[in-house]
Amino acid sequence: AQKVTQAQTEISVVEKEDVTLDCVYETRDTTYYLFWYKQPPSGELVFLIRRNSFDEQNEISGRYSWNFQKSTSSFNFTITASQVVDSAVYFCALSQNRDDKIIFGKGTRLHILP
Amino acid sequence: DAGVIQSPRHEVTEMGQEVTLRCKPISGHDYLFWYRQTMMRGLELLIYFNNNVPIDDSGMPEDRFSAKMPNASFSTLKIQPSEPRDSAVYFCASSSSPRVIAGGSHEQYFGPGTRLTVT
C-alpha cells in the first residue's frame, strides 16, 4: 500500500522566518515519484517539484528547497525567508511506477504573518 | 501553452438538478483525472482516463456520478440528480504517460476547478 503523511496540519510563522514542511511516505515499490503542490487562497493547485526515487540529491529553487531521504522515507520542503505570498496549503504526493495515480497527503496549511 | 481549462468556474444549482462539469486537458496529455476536494475529505480521485478510456472509476461516489471522454480534448463529469452533499470543488488534471521511461513526465497539471454549490 502507498501512503503520504503530512503530520503538520497547520503552521504559522512570521515573515522572513524559515519554515520546513514535513512529508513521510510509504511504498513497497523501489521505483516511485514524489511531488509537492501548492494551493494558494485562490484555489488552484500548482505543481512545484517532482523527484524520482533514484535521485536523492537535494534540490534548491530560489527560496524553496527539498530534502529527499530514502532512509527515513521523507521528502521535506523548506521555505527560506518566508513571504506572505507563500501562505497556502501545501500537498505532498506519491506515485508508484506501476500505478497511474498520485496519492496526496492531507496537506499543511501555512500562514505567513506580516 | 494553455493549461487545463475547466468550465464553469462556479455553479450553483438546486437539489435534484443535473450538473455537468467540463474539462479540456493540456494538448498532448493522454491521461485525464477528475478530483473532488472538500474540507472533510480533502482531495479525492474520482476517475481517470487514459487515451479517452476510463481506467479506474472506483472513486466515483455512486451511480449519480458519471464521466465521459469522447475525444482527447474534452471530458465531462455529470451529476444527476445533484444533492447538497455534492457541494465541493471539482478539479480536472492531465498528465503525460506516467511510466518511468526516458522523457516520461508524471506530474499532473490541474485546472482552476469548478466550485459547485447544491442548495
Side-chain angles (χ1 to χ4, degrees), chain A residues 31 33 35 37 39 43-45 47 50 54 91 95-102 104 106 109, chain B residues 31 33 35 37 39 41 43 45 48 55-56 91 98-100 104-110 112:
Chain A
T31 304
Y33 285 115
F35 309 85
Y37 283 81
Q39 187 174 37
E44 74 274 22
L45 275 147
F47 165 72
R50 175 195 69 196
F54 301 122
F91 293 93
S95 181
Q96 299 172 146
N97 182 47
R98 60 193 165 110
D99 196 348
D100 301 325
K101 297 183 284 190
I102 291 180
F104 286 84
K106 297 288 187 188
R109 184 175 297 274
Chain B
Y31 281 81
F33 303 80
Y35 291 87
Q37 186 178 36
M39 289 295 292
R41 293 193 169 137
L43 202 56
L45 176 64
Y48 76 93
I55 304 299
D56 185 348
F91 288 102
R99 302 299 177 210
V100 181
S105 171
H106 204 145
E107 61 270 19
Q108 294 176 16
Y109 291 90
F110 284 75

Side-chain angles (χ1 to χ4, degrees), chain B residues 79-100:
Chain B
I79 308 172
Q80 166 63 19
S82 58
E83 297 182 2
R85 60 190 167 126
D86 301 330
S87 297
V89 179
Y90 291 81
F91 288 102
C92 175
S94 70
S95 73
S96 59
S97 176
R99 302 299 177 210
V100 181

Side-chain angles (χ1 to χ4, degrees), chain B:
Chain B
D1 226 9
V4 176
I5 299 171
Q6 290 187 248
S7 64
R9 294 293 307 277
H10 302 272
E11 177 80 35
V12 180
T13 191
E14 291 184 349
M15 182 173 64
Q17 296 297 307
E18 177 180 297
V19 175
T20 300
L21 311 181
R22 297 173 177 79
C23 175
K24 176 178 168 56
I26 292 173
S27 177
H29 281 184
D30 52 359
Y31 281 81
L32 184 140
F33 303 80
W34 281 101
Y35 291 87
R36 178 173 68 175
Q37 186 178 36
T38 61
M39 289 295 292
M40 292 294 291
R41 293 193 169 137
L43 202 56
E44 303 174 273
L45 176 64
L46 300 177
I47 185 171
Y48 76 93
F49 296 81
N50 175 221
N51 291 323
N52 312 338
V53 176
I55 304 299
D56 185 348
D57 65 354
S58 59
M60 295 286 260
E62 47 198 275
D63 292 345
R64 297 184 298 106
F65 286 68
S66 63
K68 294 182 181 179
M69 192 165 185
N71 57 62
S73 58
F74 184 65
S75 177
T76 59
L77 178 67
K78 186 176 293 186
I79 308 172
Q80 166 63 19
S82 58
E83 297 182 2
R85 60 190 167 126
D86 301 330
S87 297
V89 179
Y90 291 81
F91 288 102
C92 175
S94 70
S95 73
S96 59
S97 176
R99 302 299 177 210
V100 181
I101 57 175
S105 171
H106 204 145
E107 61 270 19
Q108 294 176 16
Y109 291 90
F110 284 75
T114 295
R115 182 173 295 277
L116 174 64
T117 303
V118 183
T119 60

Side-chain angles (χ1 to χ4, degrees), chain A:
Chain A
Q2 55 177 343
K3 184 181 176 182
V4 175
T5 301
Q6 295 181 254
Q8 304 151 308
T9 306
E10 200 159 346
I11 302 175
S12 294
V13 300
V14 177
E15 197 173 17
K16 298 183 183 175
E17 287 185 356
D18 299 347
V19 58
T20 295
L21 309 183
D22 297 333
C23 174
V24 174
Y25 63 91
E26 293 177 30
T27 178
R28 293 178 185 165
D29 279 14
T30 57
T31 304
Y32 51 89
Y33 285 115
L34 295 164
F35 309 85
W36 277 95
Y37 283 81
K38 174 182 180 180
Q39 187 174 37
S42 52
E44 74 274 22
L45 275 147
V46 179
F47 165 72
L48 294 179
I49 189 173
R50 175 195 69 196
R51 303 298 283 176
N52 73 52
S53 52
F54 301 122
D55 184 0
E56 280 192 79
Q57 278 198 338
N58 291 336
E59 176 126 357
I60 298 175
S61 177
R63 297 183 296 105
Y64 294 175
S65 62
W66 291 269
N67 185 310
F68 175 27
Q69 291 196 340
K70 290 176 77 170
S71 61
T72 56
S73 297
S74 65
F75 185 42
N76 296 338
F77 173 29
T78 297
I79 302 175
T80 303
S82 60
Q83 299 176 2
V84 172
V85 292
D86 296 326
S87 297
V89 180
Y90 290 87
F91 293 93
C92 181
L94 164 73
S95 181
Q96 299 172 146
N97 182 47
R98 60 193 165 110
D99 196 348
D100 301 325
K101 297 183 284 190
I102 291 180
I103 302 300
F104 286 84
K106 297 288 187 188
T108 297
R109 184 175 297 274
L110 177 63
H111 300 278
I112 307 299
L113 308 172

